[in-house]
Amino acid sequence: MLDKMILGRFVPLQSFVHQLDPRMKMIFIFVMMILIFLMNNWQSYAAGIILIFIILKLSNLSFLFLFNGLKPILFLLIFTFLMHVFLTKGGTTLVDYGIINIQSQGIIMGIMISLRFVLIIFLTTIMTLTTSPIALTDAIEAILKPFKKLKLPVHELALMMSIALRFIPTLMDETQKVMKAQMSRGSDISAGTIKQRIKAVIPLLIPLFVSAFKCAEDLAIAMEVRGYKGDVGRTKYRKLDWHKNDTLSLLTLIPITLLILYLKQ
């Protein structure tokens, strides 16, 4: 399942979304995340789902490919749904057996909150799938550039965020390799009681941490031998270019925002 983790991966395709400026994508995603948190009924969520499909079509990405990326976090979605089902009260009582009391409002809220997480994950995943890590780093640095006046290490923060995002699929692949190596030696974390599974995870975590620190050390040495000293005296080989399509795409946030605000009423 871990090999299906697609967050942080980049798929080089030729599409409208791929060609957009990464700064525009980040601003668009940030505003859309705020709008998703404002959704409070089925009409507004339906508008968000339709928008996701439109963006998928413009990015030449398959919905099935994006949906498979949800499998590693399926447990979190189920847990979120069940928490609302059992703890949120209101509406018609559906199940009342001892300490178990399930009401209609709990199911509705569980579906809505889980759907909210799915929409946010889809948007952020589409951004990483259509934007290279280098472009993301440049976009973060450009957006945070005004904070340099406040002595904020903008370049270093952008670099750390980009490296963290880039190492997500790397660590997932390494975890998959360690799991297969452990299973070939007779260890299976998917079988046995909960206590046995927890014990089986410990031999998995130790080599994973060792591998992570080794990758971090190799990266630090590689940057040091190449004379990396932050953004002091650095020039950029790739420069971000803002085009007409970026402006038009950003302007679409106005009708989208008005639509969501209208539907949530």
Side-chain angles (χ1 to χ4, degrees), residues 14-21 25 130 241 243 245-246:
Q14 292 296 327
S15 71
F16 177 81
V17 178
H18 279 77
Q19 296 173 357
L20 292 175
D21 192 285
K25 296 180 191 178
T130 59
D241 293 323
H243 300 288
N245 288 338
D246 300 307

Side-chain angles (χ1 to χ4, degrees), residues 149-187:
K149 297 180 180 180
L150 301 177
K151 305 299 182 181
L152 187 70
V154 173
H155 179 78
E156 286 74 13
L157 286 175
L159 182 64
M160 286 189 296
M161 294 174 65
S162 176
I163 292 176
L165 190 63
R166 173 61 185 85
F167 267 78
I168 291 176
T170 302
L171 289 177
M172 293 301 102
D173 292 340
E174 190 65 27
T175 303
Q176 194 73 17
K177 292 178 182 178
V178 175
M179 288 179 61
K180 291 180 179 179
Q182 296 289 348
M183 292 175 63
S184 66
R185 292 172 173 82
S187 176

